[in-house]
Amino acid sequence: MAIGHKTKIVDLLKSKDFGSTVDVKGWVRTSRGNKYVSFIHLNDGSTINNIQIVADVEKFGEDLLKQITTGACIHVVGKLVESQGQGQTCEVQADTIEIYGTADPLTYPLQKKGHSLEFLREIAYLRPRTNTFGAVFRIRHHMAYAIHKYFNDHGFYYFHTPIITTSDTEGAGSMFQVSTLDMEKLPHTETGAVDYSQDFFGQATNLTVSGQLEGELGAMALGAIYTFGPTFRAENSNTPRHLAEFWMIEPEVAFNDNDDNQDLAEDFLKYLIQYALDNCMDDIQFLNDMFDKELIDRLKFVVANSFKRLAYTEAVEILESSGHKFEFPVFWGADLQSEHERYLVEKHFKCPVILTDYPKEIKSFYMKQNEDGKTVRAMDVLFPKIGEIIGGSERETDYDKLMTRVNELGMHTDPIWWYLETRKFGTAPHAGFGLGFERLILFVTGMANIRDVIPFPRTPNNAEF
Ligand code: 4AD
Ligand code: MG
């Protein structure tokens, strides 16, 4: 990129074009100096690193320089010079300074460094301006790009599934309703139920919990597809790993079985982590130094080692005979809690784990049933510090078996009749999974709370900004 006009600081810091005129715009991180000269550290979001602006007090006058405080936004034109100071190769000797916006030191909330992550959550509208959140959100961007790149390079099509749906894919019943009915004056049918035929869509609708069911329709036509969009769950789980609005990536592949599904999940995750190591090192290094000294080692370890694959039944045996005291009891048939998953990953195998063949009672209706009549061809990928990062399965393609399961679970067939129909017309073996985007970002950034890896988190009692 040509230097001389609206240069990004990331490019400027790599430049050796000393003596040239440069034009930088950004937000002041710190400003200090003496009677003669001001040193302004400027950041424009293109990198975690700041550029130093050197401004002569005599030239600009104290009145102007006094307004250049932390948080202010300025435009500087000046000369790029080799830096005398430590820790930077170049700096800008200012010729002109224009102030776009001041930030009153008495009221600007990010005046000081070192605010707690909890405090920053309360000012989520400003926290992207901190080093930490700049790093996290740049990494988040690169991961989104890498996801599209991976699938595009592997012949998958990006398939857009609806946000507003009538079905509950996961059968968990934790959905946000979508309605234009007047909540104060709901219309009722003769039996006293809410009359959704008068609602916008003529039936009850909700925000999607997963794009999978529609994604399967795509796979039955395009072969290999993926979705990547927001999903919504009204589960009241106030944990460091749950959001009410999160982003999910759901590949679905015709003719893949449960083994292919595991191969895809492992290859995909390793690709994404390697991509982060190759493209986000400045930000990862910062997060490693600030929050989690083992982050880089952990990322490299996951890329370099095979994931351990075993059946749920074996995992339960390991947990039962571990002698470890768990908060939640573990027995065959129990839904594994994060503490169990993390014990297997962090204490027992000391590597990522893929668990397969779960009891059908704790998994969704669409999973392919095994011959034993008790388990389904599910797979969960479990990661250090995270627990479940991916959940998926081979799908039941046999119409009768699928219907039997739907009936056993007492599910309404009205909202998913079209899904069931696919098993009648050119059905095929297929498999897919869902990767929680924020759980991936948690892993790659080493952050501990999922509220800190999405710009504007949605959790119980929190939707302000
Ligand atoms: O295991 P889940 O519920 O699987 C599905 O939704 C399937 N339809 C996926 C598929 O087979 N196509 O969710 C998938 C992943 C989880 O492993 C987890 O990483 C993430 O989505 N996830 C959440 N992330 C943040 N907040 C929540 N409330 C989440 N619920 C699930
Ligand atoms: Mg799951």
Side-chain angles (χ1 to χ4, degrees):
M1 192 189 297
I3 287 175
H5 191 65
K6 280 188 221 149
T7 316
K8 290 234 187 246
I9 289 172
V10 67
D11 297 322
L12 209 52
L13 290 171
K14 289 184 213 143
S15 170
K16 295 263 183 308
D17 203 2
F18 302 124
S20 65
T21 298
V22 296
D23 182 309
V24 260
K25 299 172 177 182
W27 293 268
V28 175
R29 281 296 158 79
T30 57
S31 176
R32 60 186 175 79
N34 52 40
K35 277 194 291 194
Y36 311 106
V37 66
S38 249
F39 299 102
I40 303 158
H41 284 184
L42 203 63
N43 189 284
D44 67 356
S46 62
T47 160
I48 187 114
N49 300 308
N50 305 324
I51 189 133
Q52 174 158 284
I53 310 291
V54 184
D56 262 353
V57 176
E58 204 180 332
K59 180 170 187 166
F60 294 101
E62 278 187 19
D63 283 353
L64 180 112
L65 293 177
K66 251 197 285 178
Q67 298 179 60
I68 300 180
T69 55
T70 299
C73 186
I74 61 171
H75 173 198
V76 178
V77 178
K79 202 196 298 169
L80 189 70
V81 296
E82 212 160 346
S83 178
Q84 309 301 316
Q86 280 189 339
Q88 65 227 1
T89 54
C90 61
E91 60 193 28
V92 175
Q93 215 111 50
D95 287 329
T96 64
I97 300 178
E98 180 187 359
I99 297 177
Y100 283 143
T102 55
D104 183 351
L106 294 175
T107 50
Y108 183 57
L110 289 175
Q111 198 49 231
K112 288 193 298 263
K113 279 185 165 183
H115 288 300
S116 73
L117 293 172
E118 288 79 7
F119 171 74
L120 292 173
R121 252 172 249 152
E122 287 168 21
I123 52 162
Y125 66 103
L126 283 175
R127 68 180 182 167
R129 293 217 211 155
T130 62
N131 284 333
T132 300
F133 287 92
V136 169
F137 298 144
R138 273 187 297 274
I139 293 171
R140 191 178 159 105
H141 157 78
H142 285 292
M143 288 292 88
Y145 174 75
I147 285 162
H148 288 299
K149 179 165 170 48
Y150 178 88
F151 285 126
N152 185 63
D153 291 352
H154 288 79
F156 287 65
Y157 296 105
Y158 185 21
F159 193 67
H160 291 97
T161 52
I163 304 287
I164 300 174
T165 67
T166 55
S167 57
D168 176 7
T169 313
E170 294 309 303
S174 49
M175 298 179 299
F176 291 99
Q177 272 188 264
V178 174
S179 175
T180 53
L181 292 176
D182 184 347
M183 297 285 174
E184 311 290 328
K185 283 184 267 159
L186 289 173
H188 290 97
T189 62
E190 277 169 13
T191 60
V194 175
D195 184 5
Y196 287 107
S197 71
Q198 296 187 40
D199 204 348
F200 188 90
F201 296 105
Q203 57 186 317
T205 50
N206 53 270
L207 294 177
T208 188
V209 298
S210 155
Q212 180 197 324
L213 299 192
E214 296 90 348
E216 285 188 45
L217 309 186
M220 289 298 104
L222 300 170
I225 64 93
Y226 69 104
T227 72
F228 186 176
T231 46
F232 308 86
R233 297 193 185 178
E235 49 198 350
N236 206 346
S237 28
N238 240 321
T239 82
R241 281 175 303 277
H242 287 88
L243 290 166
E245 177 179 304
F246 64 101
W247 289 65
M248 188 158 39
I249 300 98
E250 295 183 274
E252 191 71 36
V253 190
F255 319 118
N256 265 11
D257 64 18
N258 206 25
D259 290 327
D260 303 322
N261 209 25
Q262 292 169 65
D263 292 344
L264 177 64
E266 182 166 345
D267 188 61
F268 178 48
L269 286 168
K270 285 180 171 170
Y271 173 89
L272 295 176
I273 295 163
Q274 186 62 53
Y275 189 94
L277 287 167
D278 292 343
N279 293 279
C280 311
M281 209 42 182
D282 280 358
D283 289 324
I284 291 176
Q285 187 71 54
F286 171 82
L287 295 168
N288 186 91
D289 298 345
M290 290 295 290
F291 295 102
D292 181 349
K293 299 275 186 291
E294 287 158 17
L295 173 61
I296 294 174
D297 288 344
R298 198 158 54 240
L299 297 179
K300 288 186 174 163
F301 180 87
V302 168
V303 173
N305 291 279
S306 294
F307 297 3
K308 174 75 189 168
R309 302 181 185 190
L310 75 160
Y312 167 93
T313 301
E314 293 168 65
V316 168
E317 282 162 15
I318 290 170
L319 292 168
E320 279 176 331
S321 57
S322 69
H324 189 86
K325 194 122 191 65
F326 294 109
E327 190 186 333
F328 291 91
V330 53
F331 52 90
W332 199 94
D335 203 356
L336 297 185
Q337 302 294 323
S338 159
E339 55 167 345
H340 306 131
E341 296 171 341
R342 291 183 59 179
Y343 180 87
L344 291 169
V345 172
E346 290 162 26
K347 299 260 165 30
H348 191 83
F349 291 111
K350 298 190 166 57
C351 70
V353 170
I354 309 184
L355 287 191
T356 59
D357 303 286
Y358 282 75
K360 64 178 181 190
E361 276 74 24
I362 56 171
K363 290 293 182 188
S364 301
F365 77 98
Y366 51 70
M367 295 193 180
K368 187 170 177 65
Q369 297 160 34
N370 280 321
E371 269 84 65
D372 63 11
K374 293 192 295 193
T375 59
V376 287
R377 257 169 243 179
M379 66 145 193
D380 276 10
V381 182
L382 315 179
F383 256 36
K385 293 198 76 178
I386 308 290
E388 179 189 338
I389 193 163
I390 277 180
S393 77
E394 192 173 334
R395 317 305 186 189
E396 184 55 78
T397 54
D398 182 292
Y399 181 81
D400 295 329
K401 282 191 185 161
L402 191 59
M403 276 310 291
T404 308
R405 193 71 193 124
V406 163
N407 291 330
E408 271 170 19
L409 290 166
M411 291 172 64
H412 295 294
T413 51
D414 306 359
I416 51 165
W417 66 268
W418 44 271
Y419 178 78
L420 300 166
E421 288 282 289
T422 57
R423 273 51 179 173
K424 292 187 194 161
F425 307 127
T427 189
H430 59 292
F433 61 78
L435 166 66
F437 188 50
E438 285 74 19
R439 296 212 183 157
L440 171 74
I441 307 302
L442 272 180
F443 185 72
V444 173
T445 59
M447 300 301 279
N449 194 311
I450 201 161
R451 293 165 179 78
D452 297 334
V453 295
I454 185 166
F456 306 103
R458 295 291 177 257
T459 49
N461 293 317
N462 180 29
E464 189 179 9
F465 41 64

